[in-house]
């Protein structure tokens, strides 16, 4: 049996076992805090909400016109944030399966989204070199941090501090103070573009 045939067979088994499976690559999977749910974003343009214990599909969130690269649950009001290769950031009520707002402003793919120091504040990062700070409940832009000639590939925030960590295609990590918009540190030494950043 060829490798391609085995891969196809495995895919068929997966689709039979998980009803409603994505029809293309999955780029992002995130658990939704304090629930039995998780969200997945795919190049098939949909977001799907699953019960991870039963593996049953809970909701399908259509609306992006191209691949969903990142999903990010906020810890307030059943909100889920998504970003994709259609250059948009969307705010969803995942319980109702409804898009509440499409936030525009990025001119290239939205690669990463992270929750920040407050439960309703989040950041989005793009190939256009911009990091945008948003209020999820008021659905408005709070601050824009521009990195000329840089592609921002990944973000890490967190609800305990005013810090934001950004990974870039130029093989460096930058640390920012969110409220002031000031860069406080640059970490160098990576040998290739940085795809993800996290603190343990």
């Amino acid at each position: 049996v060829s490798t391609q045939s085995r891969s196809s067979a495995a895919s068929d088994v997966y689709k039979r076992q998980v009803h409603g499976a994505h029809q293309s690559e999955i780029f992002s999977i995130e658990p939704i805090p304090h629930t039995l749910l998780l969200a997945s974003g795919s190049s098939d343009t949909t977001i799907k909400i699953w019960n991870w214990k039963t593996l049953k599909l809970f909701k399908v969130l259509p609306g992006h016109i191209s691949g969903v690269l990142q999903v990010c649950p906020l810890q307030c009001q059943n909100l889920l944030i998504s970003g994709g290769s259609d250059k948009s950031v969307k705010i969803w009520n995942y319980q109702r399966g409804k898009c509440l707002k499409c936030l525009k402003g990025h001119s290239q793919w939205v690669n990463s989204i992270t929750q920040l120091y407050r439960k309703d504040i989040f950041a989005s990062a793009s190939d256009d070199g911009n990091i945008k700070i948003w209020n999820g409940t008021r659905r408005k832009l709070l601050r824009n941090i521009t990195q000329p000639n840089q592609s921002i590939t990944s973000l890490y925030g967190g609800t305990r501090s005013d810090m934001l960590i950004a990974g870039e295609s130029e093989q460096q990590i930058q640390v920012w103070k969110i409220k002031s918009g000031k860069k406080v540190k640059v970490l160098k030494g990576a040998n290739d573009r940085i795809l993800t950043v996290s603190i343990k």
Side-chain angles (χ1 to χ4, degrees):
V1 180
S2 70
T3 301
Q4 184 175 1
S5 297
R6 288 176 179 173
S7 176
S8 177
S11 177
D12 289 342
V13 168
Y14 166 72
K15 289 177 181 178
R16 287 198 300 270
Q17 289 178 338
V18 183
H19 176 70
H22 285 289
Q23 300 302 305
S24 192
E25 299 164 291
I26 297 171
F27 292 125
S28 179
I29 299 175
E30 293 291 340
I32 298 176
H34 314 301
T35 74
L36 292 177
L37 302 176
L38 60 83
S40 58
S42 168
S43 62
D44 67 10
T45 76
T46 67
I47 300 161
K48 297 194 175 186
I49 311 298
W50 308 86
N51 183 308
W52 59 262
K53 192 171 184 179
T54 65
L55 296 181
K56 290 185 177 180
L57 183 62
F58 174 68
K59 292 284 184 185
V60 179
L61 310 181
H64 283 278
I65 60 174
S66 56
V68 181
L69 304 180
Q70 180 77 66
V71 292
C72 176
L74 297 188
Q75 296 182 42
C76 66
Q77 299 184 14
N78 298 325
L79 296 183
L80 176 77
I81 314 300
S82 64
S85 54
D86 59 6
K87 310 172 190 176
S88 72
V89 174
K90 294 183 183 293
I91 301 176
W92 306 84
N93 182 309
Y94 65 82
Q95 288 283 358
R96 293 163 55 195
K98 182 178 179 180
C99 181
L100 304 177
K101 184 78 173 182
C102 179
L103 303 172
K104 297 183 179 180
H106 287 296
S107 61
Q108 298 293 330
W109 290 13
V110 179
N111 296 317
S112 188
I113 296 171
T114 188
Q115 184 171 327
L116 297 177
Y117 57 93
R118 255 176 39 192
K119 292 182 179 180
D120 58 347
I121 305 295
F122 68 93
S124 60
S126 170
D127 282 340
D128 63 13
N130 289 298
I131 301 170
K132 295 183 181 292
I133 313 299
W134 308 88
N135 184 302
T137 53
R138 296 170 63 190
R139 305 167 197 171
K140 63 180 290 186
L141 181 66
L142 301 178
R143 179 181 295 277
N144 188 71
I145 299 172
T146 300
Q147 288 292 92
N149 305 314
Q150 300 275 6
S151 173
I152 312 298
T153 55
S154 56
L155 292 175
Y156 179 84
T159 58
R160 296 186 178 181
S161 75
D162 180 36
M163 303 296 246
L164 175 64
I165 302 170
E168 300 178 350
S169 59
E170 296 300 316
Q171 306 171 16
Q172 61 185 20
I173 296 171
Q174 300 201 12
V175 182
W176 298 82
K177 282 277 194 178
I178 301 165
K179 293 178 183 178
S180 66
K182 291 183 178 179
K183 187 190 305 179
V184 296
K185 187 175 281 293
V186 177
L187 306 175
K188 299 181 179 180
N191 296 318
D192 205 341
R193 63 187 283 138
I194 297 166
L195 300 180
T196 185
V197 289
S198 182
I199 294 176
K200 299 297 185 182

